[in-house]
Amino acid sequence: MRLAVLSDIHANSVALDAVIASFDRVDAVWHLGDVVGYGPDPNGVIDRLQAIGASGVQGNHDAAAIGGAEIDWFNPVARTAMIWTRDEIDDASRAWLAELPVRRETADMTLVHGSPRDPTWEYVTSVEIARDNFAIIETTHALHGHTHRPIAYVERDGAVRPLTPDDGFTVSLDTGRAMLNPGSVGQPRDGSPEASYLVLDTGTRTCTWHRVPYDIGRVQAAMRTAGLPRSLVDRLTVGA
Ligand code: ZN
């Protein structure tokens, strides 16, 4: 079975369409939250995820979009976009977002947006934070997003090693325990503007990262039409 794992799509349906078009023998799709926020097409992204039967978890932007107090912690630009998003999403989208849990567990994977110990807010940005989270994960591995940067933390014999994946990078799930971050579909922040995701292959027991170019100008034009903040439009060009 091949599972595509997408995170931080952020209402960017142009990037999501390019990612879906790039799928190679994908049997199912998981998402790690922040489906909406920042981008111009929240209802369109939710429609697509429903159409492909994606299951996943709720991110901080998803919680804020349905009225959550998470918005109080947003910076001014994120807050402006979130107020727009709250007005834009329809009842069906609101209901779909409200039903997302903050954590899912399969036989050997924990799925969260932020981190296993704080699924909504914690950013896993260091070996130390990863080590603290390995200590409380009840499954072998975990999938997390939120930082918009693809990375793997691999733990073996008590040592945690960070691996920064390029396009096509593969890590074996039998190397040790792993915390795997697919990066962001809709607003990458690792210096590459290309959409990022990963594929888990339960047959070969591997995880492979993928980067996909998409029509950034098209989503930027939609953002301008929507009146979304200029800095959110500009950052898509540079992936930062
Ligand atoms: Zn995000």
Side-chain angles (χ1 to χ4, degrees), residues 139-196:
T139 56
T140 307
H141 307 296
L143 294 162
H144 63 108
H146 194 38
T147 64
H148 297 211
R149 291 167 177 260
I151 195 164
Y153 294 96
V154 177
E155 182 200 49
R156 187 164 54 177
D157 302 327
V160 177
R161 199 160 52 109
L163 303 170
T164 306
D166 292 325
D167 186 23
F169 181 84
T170 295
V171 66
S172 165
L173 294 176
D174 296 325
T175 307
R177 301 178 72 200
M179 289 180 60
L180 307 162
N181 187 329
S184 170
V185 169
Q187 193 203 75
R189 296 178 189 164
D190 65 325
S192 166
E194 297 185 345
S196 184

Side-chain angles (χ1 to χ4, degrees), residues 8 10 34 38 61 113 146 148 189:
D8 296 277
H10 281 296
D34 279 10
Y38 296 139
H61 283 255
H113 178 65
H146 194 38
H148 297 211
R189 296 178 189 164

Side-chain angles (χ1 to χ4, degrees), residues 11-18 39-41 48 213-226 228 233 236-237:
N12 185 341
S13 52
V14 182
L16 178 59
D17 284 341
D41 192 13
R48 286 162 174 78
Y214 70 95
D215 188 347
I216 294 171
R218 206 172 120 216
V219 70
Q220 288 174 319
M223 291 171 80
R224 287 190 199 97
T225 301
L228 287 161
V233 176
L236 294 181
T237 307

Side-chain angles (χ1 to χ4, degrees), residues 65-196:
I66 55 174
E70 285 79 5
I71 195 172
D72 296 342
W73 299 91
F74 281 24
N75 66 47
V77 166
R79 174 187 291 258
T80 298
M82 182 48 63
I83 290 166
W84 181 89
T85 300
R86 283 179 169 181
D87 189 53
E88 178 71 10
I89 58 173
D90 58 29
D91 288 345
S93 293
R94 206 170 283 114
W96 187 86
L97 292 168
E99 283 173 12
L100 295 174
V102 294
R103 181 195 311 270
R104 283 179 192 263
E105 287 181 4
T106 68
D108 65 349
M109 286 281 172
T110 296
L111 281 69
V112 289
H113 178 65
S115 78
R117 70 177 170 186
D118 181 353
T120 303
W121 278 112
E122 186 175 37
Y123 292 89
V124 182
T125 51
S126 70
V127 164
E128 290 70 30
I129 296 171
R131 184 179 292 122
D132 290 348
N133 277 285
F134 273 120
I136 61 132
I137 299 168
E138 294 182 357
T139 56
T140 307
H141 307 296
L143 294 162
H144 63 108
H146 194 38
T147 64
H148 297 211
R149 291 167 177 260
I151 195 164
Y153 294 96
V154 177
E155 182 200 49
R156 187 164 54 177
D157 302 327
V160 177
R161 199 160 52 109
L163 303 170
T164 306
D166 292 325
D167 186 23
F169 181 84
T170 295
V171 66
S172 165
L173 294 176
D174 296 325
T175 307
R177 301 178 72 200
M179 289 180 60
L180 307 162
N181 187 329
S184 170
V185 169
Q187 193 203 75
R189 296 178 189 164
D190 65 325
S192 166
E194 297 185 345
S196 184

